[in-house]
Amino acid sequence: MFNTSYLLVLMSAFCLGVANIFYKKSTDLIGGINTAFFYYMFGFLLVSIVWIIFREERQINFKALLNPLIIAVFLTTSVVTFMLGITNTRIAISSTIRSLSFLFTILIAVLFLREKISVKQIFGICSAVLAIFLLA
């Protein structure tokens, strides 16, 4: 049975790839910091519209907002450092390096969340890294 969640994740990866091309173009035209500012400003407007339309029916306490704040800090840092990094590099190389972010996710999960990685998963991780370098 086909799981549409995989299609959505694949669509997300495609959209990130397209966004990377426009990151580079925008950084060349208006600079990395300006690009990051407008990216988040436009993102806020778009997400606000989505939030209004699809608002979840859950109570929100202020302590629970710490996680989205941490996410925002790290994603902002990721975008700003990527924008600054692509000013003097080829977008294909920068995007390839950035696509290895899953390795940091795995490392953090193992070290801090005590996740276990099976031999099968290690094989999959190595295959993914190899594929990224071969297709870059």
Side-chain angles (χ1 to χ4, degrees), residues 13-25 27 78 81-104 128-129 131-133 135-136:
F14 170 77
C15 289
L16 181 58
V18 172
N20 284 340
I21 299 300
F22 284 95
Y23 282 166
K24 175 64 174 167
K25 290 179 75 163
T27 299
S78 172
T81 54
F82 184 71
M83 295 287 184
L84 294 173
I86 64 173
T87 56
N88 295 317
T89 62
R90 292 180 43 224
I91 189 69
I93 294 169
S94 298
S95 295
T96 300
I97 293 169
R98 192 175 195 212
S99 67
L100 295 171
S101 66
F102 73 93
L103 293 174
F104 292 105
V129 170
I132 288 169
F133 283 113
L135 297 174

Side-chain angles (χ1 to χ4, degrees), residues 35-48:
T35 297
F37 172 77
F38 287 110
Y39 162 75
Y40 278 103
M41 184 180 73
F42 295 143
F44 175 75
L45 293 173
L46 292 171
V47 167
S48 296

